[in-house]
Amino acid sequence: MIVLGVESSCDETGLALYDTERGLLSHALHSQVAMHEEYGGVVPELASRDHIRRALPLLEEVLKRADMPASNIDAIAYTQGPGLAGALLVGSSVACSLALALDKPVLGVHHLEGHLLSPLLASERPEFPFIALLVSGGHTQLMRVDGVGRYTLLGETLDDAAGEAFDKSAKLLGLGYPGGPAISRLAEFGDPNAYTLPRPMLHSKDFNFSFSGLKTAVLTVVKNHEEKVVANICEQDKANIARGFVDAIVEVLTAKCVNALRHTGLSRLVIAGGVGANRQLRESLNAAAAKRKFKVYYPELEFCTDNGAMIAFAGALRLERNPDLAQRDYAFNVRPRWPLDELEAA
């Protein structure tokens, strides 16, 4: 079965072809980072319009790379939610229109399920069950994963997601957008002893997170700095603040993951989402894994952020278990808010 995946939930347009026998055939991605940079964040209307421009050229690209005609596609999976409503509507309409033209069935896929299953695209893939840390700009959740669609939420953020805290703290330091990678790079040059920032909910005895207070701590440090204005703070001291922030958030994420593994008795940890590409987080988790004797799995770096491959893959896994999930009903709807626990098991 060859499944075309269409991803358009936010600011990346991704398409991919996945074959249940041969694996990932091709994928193509367009990021809107450069377009949104001047606004300091994603502008939903601009994102939607750009998805319209990019979808069909990307389709042609993935078909060309796979060296196959569109008629060879057996089913089309698209991101139905959660995400930006307008952006989701673009991908859904493209997928359903193409399916109608080709007389192929379609399947709406949960965006977060795509992220959760993306590490299974790697050469070294985990076996079920495992603990998953889904950590991105919009979500920070710890889950027990027993199979496709069999997810138990252990804990989640009560306010800002980890990626959101990265971006907001980076903005406080004048680092621009996207802030997450920028603050992580800057932190590499910082003194770990210069600023000790709070570790929110580190000892809460549950698996929930809270990062808004950490962001506020960065704001307080900047406001109380002798220079008063962030533009006047020297680069070394900005790096010190960045290091204090990154060390705090990484320690919390690592500790919660270790506690979840201990609580469930599992020995496999999967990291998914854009923050999963963070070098400091990977180093911390790898060190904890070596010490605590568990195994940690990551998606390939190119599949950490939103992409079409994870949607094609998630759709293919569901259709392998139940081919009837794909329907020839092209009256689509999107779900901008779609809790993962409402997703049915495959």
Side-chain angles (χ1 to χ4, degrees), residues 86-154:
L88 291 169
L89 283 168
V90 174
S92 300
S93 61
V94 167
C96 291
S97 299
L98 180 63
L100 175 62
L102 297 174
D103 190 25
K104 305 293 182 180
V106 293
L107 171 66
V109 170
H110 197 293
H111 178 76
L112 299 186
E113 181 170 58
H115 276 302
L116 276 180
L117 300 177
S118 62
L120 276 68
L121 282 166
S123 55
E124 186 179 8
R125 52 187 289 174
E127 298 292 329
F128 298 116
F130 53 77
I131 295 297
L133 173 66
L134 178 58
V135 56
S136 67
H139 301 85
T140 303
Q141 298 176 321
L142 266 171
M143 299 181 193
R144 176 183 173 124
V145 179
D146 289 290
V148 178
R150 298 168 61 195
Y151 313 125
T152 303
L153 181 65
L154 301 178

Side-chain angles (χ1 to χ4, degrees), residues 9-339:
S9 64
C10 189
D11 60 344
E12 275 113 4
T13 316
L15 279 86
L17 288 165
Y18 184 85
D19 188 328
T20 53
E21 291 185 354
R22 294 177 289 168
L24 186 63
L25 302 180
S26 64
H27 68 98
L29 181 74
H30 175 77
S31 173
Q32 301 174 2
V33 166
M35 180 178 68
H36 297 296
E37 185 175 6
E38 62 178 299
Y39 302 99
V42 177
V43 182
E45 179 63 24
L46 294 180
S48 301
R49 293 180 182 182
D50 199 63
H51 287 309
I52 294 172
R53 288 192 292 268
R54 307 293 178 179
L56 294 183
L58 289 175
L59 172 62
E60 293 176 359
E61 186 175 340
V62 296
L63 290 171
K64 183 178 180 180
R65 289 181 180 180
D67 191 24
M68 58 170 277
S71 58
N72 282 16
I73 297 170
D74 294 304
I76 300 177
Y78 63 93
T79 303
Q80 189 175 14
L84 301 176
L88 291 169
L89 283 168
V90 174
S92 300
S93 61
V94 167
C96 291
S97 299
L98 180 63
L100 175 62
L102 297 174
D103 190 25
K104 305 293 182 180
V106 293
L107 171 66
V109 170
H110 197 293
H111 178 76
L112 299 186
E113 181 170 58
H115 276 302
L116 276 180
L117 300 177
S118 62
L120 276 68
L121 282 166
S123 55
E124 186 179 8
R125 52 187 289 174
E127 298 292 329
F128 298 116
F130 53 77
I131 295 297
L133 173 66
L134 178 58
V135 56
S136 67
H139 301 85
T140 303
Q141 298 176 321
L142 266 171
M143 299 181 193
R144 176 183 173 124
V145 179
D146 289 290
V148 178
R150 298 168 61 195
Y151 313 125
T152 303
L153 181 65
L154 301 178
E156 61 186 338
T157 183
L158 304 180
D159 40 58
D160 289 356
E164 186 179 1
F166 267 96
D167 287 339
K168 289 180 177 178
S169 297
K171 190 172 183 178
L172 292 173
L173 293 175
L175 299 181
Y177 174 86
I183 198 171
S184 294
R185 287 192 297 269
L186 186 60
E188 295 179 8
F189 304 98
D191 179 356
N193 300 311
Y195 295 95
T196 301
L197 298 183
R199 272 68 170 160
M201 300 189 73
L202 180 62
H203 304 294
S204 63
K205 296 183 180 180
D206 59 26
F207 306 112
N208 291 326
F209 304 87
S210 173
F211 296 116
S212 64
L214 181 55
K215 171 203 64 185
T216 302
V218 173
L219 175 62
T220 301
V221 168
V222 172
K223 283 188 173 181
N224 292 341
H225 197 279
E226 60 182 359
E227 294 295 344
K228 304 300 180 185
V229 179
V230 67
N232 296 333
I233 299 177
C234 71
E235 288 302 307
Q236 182 57 57
D237 217 23
K238 285 185 181 180
N240 294 341
I241 299 171
R243 179 62 181 270
F245 166 81
V246 171
D247 284 354
I249 205 166
V250 165
E251 183 177 342
V252 171
L253 291 172
T254 302
K256 295 283 185 175
C257 288
V258 170
N259 290 340
L261 288 166
R262 184 185 299 117
H263 173 75
T264 58
L266 299 179
S267 59
R268 289 181 290 271
L269 174 67
V270 163
I271 309 300
V275 182
N278 182 273
R279 188 181 66 81
Q280 291 97 334
L281 178 59
R282 290 193 175 209
E283 289 179 352
S284 177
L285 289 170
N286 289 341
K291 181 179 179 181
R292 307 276 182 175
K293 308 302 181 185
F294 63 86
K295 181 71 175 177
V296 59
Y297 299 85
Y298 308 94
E300 302 290 348
L301 287 175
E302 61 184 330
F303 299 138
C304 284
T305 57
D306 298 347
N307 61 86
M310 68 182 192
I311 302 303
F313 181 60
L317 288 183
R318 282 189 164 269
L319 292 175
E320 275 188 311
R321 288 158 175 77
N322 184 2
D324 293 335
L325 288 174
Q327 301 289 324
R328 284 179 167 80
D329 179 3
Y330 307 116
F332 61 89
N333 69 305
V334 298
R335 303 184 65 176
R337 296 185 180 276
W338 187 5

